[in-house]
Amino acid sequence: MTQDSSINSAGGLHVLVVDDNHDAADTLAEVLEIMGCRTATAYDGLEGVEKAEQLRPDAVVLDLGMPRLNGYEACERIRAQPWGQDLRLVAVSGWGQQDDRRRSMEAGFDAHLVKPVAPEELLALLELPRG
């Protein structure tokens, strides 16, 4: 496999990928690693909040429709913590209606992408400074 100049541009960004679809979470994490990120995965919203607190990643990618704690609630819990104020939080979901996007912004997400996501687009969002 050949790598283009955008590969490995992430400079070691640490990203937590949270999705109840194990294959989707693992695949996205692998793609982000190929692009130069360090990754971890969680498979439901509650586990995602717990891992975010433990790992303190640079960014968290959250699915919205998950068991135990949905992505909106997970985002709100992360944002409520002092360590979660400056994290980049990106919703990545099959839900892309206007109401879904509005709810994700109200919950505290920085961006909302609809699956399937172009890895380059996601990486560009993850690398942006917050604010």
Side-chain angles (χ1 to χ4, degrees):
M1 172 163 68
T2 60
Q3 295 183 341
D4 66 34
S5 61
S6 68
I7 301 295
N8 296 323
S9 65
L13 193 66
H14 189 194
V15 181
L16 174 61
V17 178
V18 185
D19 195 322
D20 62 317
N21 180 326
H22 290 228
D23 289 338
D26 294 343
T27 300
L28 182 55
E30 287 176 20
V31 169
L32 289 170
E33 284 182 10
I34 289 168
M35 299 176 84
C37 296
R38 293 177 297 123
T39 66
T41 54
Y43 303 112
D44 67 55
L46 190 57
E47 181 187 10
V49 172
E50 291 167 354
K51 279 199 172 177
E53 183 172 14
Q54 292 168 354
L55 301 173
R56 308 288 172 96
D58 300 304
V60 181
V61 176
L62 286 160
D63 183 32
L64 295 177
M66 294 184 290
R68 298 201 319 155
L69 196 64
N70 68 41
Y72 301 115
E73 295 163 332
C75 178
E76 289 170 347
R77 286 195 187 183
I78 290 169
R79 284 284 185 237
Q81 302 303 315
W83 53 264
Q85 298 294 309
D86 295 325
L87 282 179
R88 170 139 322 259
L89 294 170
V90 178
V92 174
S93 178
W95 302 349
Q97 299 298 319
Q98 188 66 24
D99 188 53
D100 302 318
R101 293 175 184 277
R102 179 191 52 75
R103 284 185 64 202
S104 66
M105 294 302 116
E106 288 174 356
F109 284 101
D110 296 299
H112 181 125
L113 299 176
V114 177
K115 294 177 182 178
V117 174
E120 297 81 10
E121 180 182 7
L122 176 58
L123 185 60
L125 283 172
L126 295 175
E127 292 179 319
L128 288 174
R130 276 208 79 225

